[in-house]
Amino acid sequence: MSLISKTPKPPYYAVIFTSIRTDGDNGYGETANRMIELAEQQSGFLGAESAREDVGITVSYWTDLDSIKNWKANTEHLDAQKIGRERWYDTFKVRISKVERDYGV
Amino acid sequence: MSLISKTPKPPYYAVIFTSIRTDGDNGYGETANRMIELAEQQSGFLGAESAREDVGITVSYWTDLDSIKNWKANTEHLDAQKIGRERWYDTFKVRISKVERDYGV
C-alpha cells in the first residue's frame, strides 16, 4: 500500500472505513494486511490509505460501485467482516462516496 | 472532535485530506488543533475524524459543497493552508466526495 494513492482524474469512488478497535490483537494485524493484499488483486481497486491513533481510518479507492460491491461480497473478505464485527471492532462506520474533485502537491 | 462523527442520513459531503508531514513540529500541532476548533464553528460542518501514522488522514464532513467552499476561503484557514504548503507538508492530497451510502455498528 503506497502512502498517498495515485488515483486517476475524478470521478472515482472512496470507501471511508472508520473504526475503534477492541483491546488486544486477536489476529487483527495479520488479517488487516491480508485484506489489503487481497483488495489490491480486485478489479477496480485504485489504492488505499490507512492510519490509526485513537480512531482508525482506512480509505480505499475504486473505479466504480460494482467493484466495491464485489469486494464486499468476496468470500475471504466476508469472513474477515464477520470476525471484525464480533471481535476486532468496538464500533465502526463505512461510508461510500463519489470523489468529484481532487487536488494536491 | 469526536472519534467517529455522528453524521446524518446521506447524502452529505466528505473532504478526505491525506498528507505526509515534513520533519519537526514548526507550529503544526497548535494550528491543526485551532483549525478543528474553527471548522466546528462553520456553517454546514458535521464532524471530523483524524489519525496519523506514516500518512495522516483527516476526513471532515459537510452538508453541502458551498460550506466546503466557504471553509476553504476562510481567512485564518487560508493562512494555515499557505504555511501547510510551504512548511508542514511534504505532499498532500485533498479529495472532495459525496457520501451516497453509509452503515456501521
Side-chain angles (χ1 to χ4, degrees):
Chain A
M1 175 161 50
S2 64
L3 293 174
I4 298 188
S5 300
K6 292 185 199 322
T7 40
K9 196 162 174 287
Y12 53 89
Y13 283 81
V15 178
I16 306 162
F17 176 63
T18 315
S19 65
I20 310 232
R21 287 271 283 110
T22 51
D23 291 334
D25 186 69
N26 302 314
Y28 169 78
E30 191 183 338
T31 303
N33 290 338
R34 170 65 185 150
M35 286 306 110
I36 291 292
E37 183 184 284
L38 196 61
E40 286 171 346
Q41 298 166 19
Q42 305 306 304
S43 169
F45 179 80
L46 297 171
E49 298 156 351
S50 199
R52 178 174 301 279
E53 287 182 294
D54 295 333
V55 67
I57 307 174
T58 296
V59 188
S60 60
Y61 301 100
W62 302 84
T63 52
D64 58 274
L65 287 173
D66 274 348
S67 301
I68 295 169
K69 194 174 160 188
N70 290 339
W71 169 234
K72 186 165 193 286
N74 173 285
T75 307
E76 199 176 333
H77 188 204
L78 281 175
D79 289 343
Q81 289 170 58
K82 186 171 184 292
I83 306 174
R85 281 189 299 270
E86 291 172 357
R87 196 184 304 172
W88 295 323
Y89 300 117
D90 185 38
T91 55
F92 71 84
K93 186 109 184 176
V94 177
R95 294 177 172 101
I96 295 161
S97 71
K98 183 179 189 175
V99 179
E100 299 181 344
R101 199 159 64 82
D102 63 14
Y103 60 90
V105 294
Chain B
M1 175 162 48
S2 64
L3 292 175
I4 297 190
S5 300
K6 293 187 199 319
T7 41
K9 198 164 173 288
Y12 53 88
Y13 283 82
V15 178
I16 307 162
F17 176 64
T18 314
S19 65
I20 310 238
R21 287 270 284 110
T22 50
D23 292 334
D25 186 70
N26 301 313
Y28 169 78
E30 191 183 339
T31 303
N33 290 339
R34 171 67 185 147
M35 286 306 111
I36 290 292
E37 183 184 285
L38 195 61
E40 284 170 349
Q41 298 166 17
Q42 305 306 304
S43 169
F45 178 81
L46 297 172
E49 298 156 351
S50 199
R52 178 174 299 279
E53 287 182 293
D54 294 335
V55 66
I57 307 175
T58 296
V59 188
S60 60
Y61 301 101
W62 302 85
T63 52
D64 58 274
L65 287 173
D66 274 349
S67 300
I68 295 170
K69 194 174 159 186
N70 290 338
W71 169 233
K72 186 166 193 286
N74 173 285
T75 308
E76 198 175 335
H77 188 204
L78 281 176
D79 289 343
Q81 290 170 57
K82 185 170 184 293
I83 307 175
R85 281 189 299 269
E86 291 173 356
R87 194 183 306 171
W88 294 323
Y89 299 118
D90 185 38
T91 55
F92 71 85
K93 185 109 183 175
V94 178
R95 295 177 172 100
I96 295 161
S97 72
K98 184 179 188 175
V99 178
E100 299 180 346
R101 199 159 65 82
D102 64 13
Y103 60 91
V105 294

